[in-house]
Amino acid sequence: PPSTEYQAENATISQGAVESNHAGFTGTGFVNFDNVVGSSVEFTVDAAAGERRLTLRFANGTTADRPMDLTVNGTAVQGVSFPGTGAWTTWVETTLTVSLTAGPNTIRLTSTTANGGPNLDRITLA
Ligand code: GCU
């Protein structure tokens, strides 16, 4: 099946802002998470049941990792590393596997350090 893109700027943001001042994002902008533990974004995705490839597109213009916790439907799945990409305008992708149920699923990313998350452009489900 085709992959589906979900723009971060359209997701539910807690302790973050939609910005567009670093070129290279897709859609109309990206999410700049507040630099605090607990800043988060939640996507609602519609899926068929099963294992799916989840790709996260981000930039991190610092040299420190900006790890986040990933939860699916409220259950902690894994920590995700968002290492430095060299510049806030250098966007890269990281891919992992998630198990989804049929119908709407929530995918949430929550910052786990005081630096907050990276700048997040979008997620893609394939
Ligand atoms: C800079 C940058 C932001 C980024 C922030 C951060 O202010 O312009 O896009 O989110 O650093 O460190 O989180």
Side-chain angles (χ1 to χ4, degrees):
S3 55
T4 308
E5 295 175 356
Y6 299 88
Q7 292 292 335
E9 63 269 28
N10 297 331
T12 301
I13 301 158
S14 175
Q15 296 182 288
V18 176
E19 295 179 352
S20 57
N21 58 325
H22 298 299
F25 56 84
T26 65
T28 59
F30 55 83
V31 170
N32 172 354
F33 295 97
D34 290 356
N35 301 118
V36 295
V37 172
S39 50
S40 69
V41 65
E42 184 172 283
F43 299 84
T44 300
V45 304
D46 213 28
E51 300 230 310
R52 310 286 296 279
R53 299 287 278 172
L54 174 66
T55 298
L56 312 169
R57 189 168 192 265
F58 72 97
N60 175 359
T62 76
T63 54
D65 190 14
R66 296 274 181 107
M68 302 187 86
D69 278 343
L70 173 70
T71 65
V72 176
N73 298 324
T75 300
V77 173
Q78 65 178 91
V80 183
S81 181
F82 295 96
T85 61
W88 291 110
T89 49
T90 300
W91 299 87
V92 306
E93 292 184 327
T94 186
T95 299
L96 47 109
T97 302
V98 291
S99 188
L100 299 180
T101 56
N105 290 251
T106 57
I107 294 177
R108 190 178 190 96
L109 290 160
T110 305
S111 306
T112 59
T113 76
N115 288 331
N119 288 348
L120 185 68
D121 180 32
R122 70 173 178 210
I123 67 170
T124 305
L125 267 182

